Amino acid sequence: MGATHMFQDRAIEKYTMVPGHHQGTCASPKDQSIKLRADETIYSEGEYALAIYQVEAGAVRIYRLTSNGQRHILSFCGKGEWFGLESGNVRTDFAEAICETRLRSFRTNQDAVVPIDLLHIALTNLAKAQCKQLIISEQSALKRLAAFVQEMADRHPEDAEFDMMMSRSDIADYLGLTVETVARSFTKLREKCILRLAGKSQRIVRLLDRDALIALTI
């Protein structure tokens, strides 16, 4: 049995109803936490879709592979966001932890109750997909990156500084650019005094001019 199958089986076994409780009662949040290392696989394409997940801490990348093995990142999920909802019974993509991450897992069978509206999750994921489509439709690499930074900033509306968590490679595969182009575009944003980068991996973003960032995306 593969590692991802073992993870999924362990999660499903652990995060079902608490023995002795009424049907549909979920275990306590403390008992439902799954801790993951950076780059650890949550599920893979072709597996049965038995659960959905909510990010408690850290971040997750959702991606697909082309026939030649090229990776296309579909979305990033941060704290409080849900992922793993499928239209069918089989996974159509891959999910991995970007960094040290903590998740909650919930069965999606008929006997279990998920503490959120599944339609809301589906609509939220659709909105994220549409947002990404708008980003990658931009011809300019600088505009793509500016729109991406704005997307990340919108997830931290009260924070002037935030940790993107994802690598330059992740960002490149999300925007359909090369790593070198992403690096050059960040340099341009710094030179325009729109943002400042900090941290060992230059992942921490401090916005210096949010209006100028938004203007670049128009």
Coordinates of all heavy atoms in Angstrom, one line a residue, residues 16-22 25-28 31:
T16 N -13.7 9.9 11.8 CA -15.1 9.6 11.7 C -15.8 9.9 13.0 O -15.2 10.5 13.9 CB -15.3 8.1 11.3 OG1 -14.5 7.3 12.2 CG2 -14.8 7.8 9.9
M17 N -17.0 9.4 13.2 CA -17.8 9.8 14.4 C -17.2 9.2 15.6 O -16.6 8.1 15.6 CB -19.2 9.2 14.2 CG -20.0 9.9 13.1 SD -21.6 9.2 12.8 CE -21.2 7.6 12.2
V18 N -17.3 9.8 16.7 CA -16.8 9.4 18.0 C -17.7 8.2 18.5 O -18.9 8.3 18.5 CB -16.8 10.5 19.0 CG1 -16.3 10.0 20.4 CG2 -16.0 11.7 18.5
P19 N -17.1 7.1 18.8 CA -17.8 5.9 19.3 C -18.8 6.3 20.5 O -18.3 7.0 21.4 CB -16.8 4.9 19.8 CG -15.6 5.3 19.0 CD -15.6 6.8 18.8
G20 N -20.0 5.9 20.4 CA -21.0 6.1 21.5 C -21.8 7.4 21.3 O -22.7 7.6 22.0
H21 N -21.4 8.2 20.3 CA -22.1 9.5 20.1 C -23.2 9.2 19.0 O -23.2 8.2 18.3 CB -21.2 10.6 19.6 CG -20.4 11.1 20.7 ND1 -20.0 12.4 20.8 CD2 -19.8 10.5 21.8 CE1 -19.3 12.7 21.8 NE2 -19.1 11.5 22.5
H22 N -24.2 10.1 18.9 CA -25.2 10.0 17.9 C -24.6 10.2 16.5 O -23.6 10.8 16.3 CB -26.3 11.1 18.2 CG -27.0 10.9 19.5 ND1 -27.8 9.8 19.7 CD2 -27.1 11.6 20.6 CE1 -28.3 9.9 20.9 NE2 -27.9 11.0 21.5
T25 N -22.3 13.1 14.6 CA -21.5 13.9 15.6 C -20.1 13.8 15.3 O -19.6 12.7 15.2 CB -21.8 13.5 17.0 OG1 -23.2 13.7 17.3 CG2 -21.0 14.4 18.0
C26 N -19.4 14.9 15.2 CA -18.0 14.8 14.8 C -17.1 14.8 16.1 O -17.5 15.2 17.1 CB -17.6 16.1 14.0 SG -18.4 16.1 12.4
A27 N -15.9 14.3 15.9 CA -15.0 14.3 17.0 C -14.6 15.7 17.3 O -14.8 16.6 16.6 CB -13.7 13.5 16.6
S28 N -13.9 15.9 18.5 CA -13.5 17.2 18.9 C -12.4 17.7 17.9 O -11.7 16.9 17.4 CB -13.0 17.2 20.3 OG -11.8 16.5 20.4
D31 N -9.0 16.2 18.4 CA -8.8 14.8 18.0 C -8.7 14.8 16.5 O -8.3 13.8 15.9 CB -9.9 13.9 18.4 CG -10.0 13.8 20.0 OD1 -8.9 13.9 20.6 OD2 -11.0 13.5 20.5

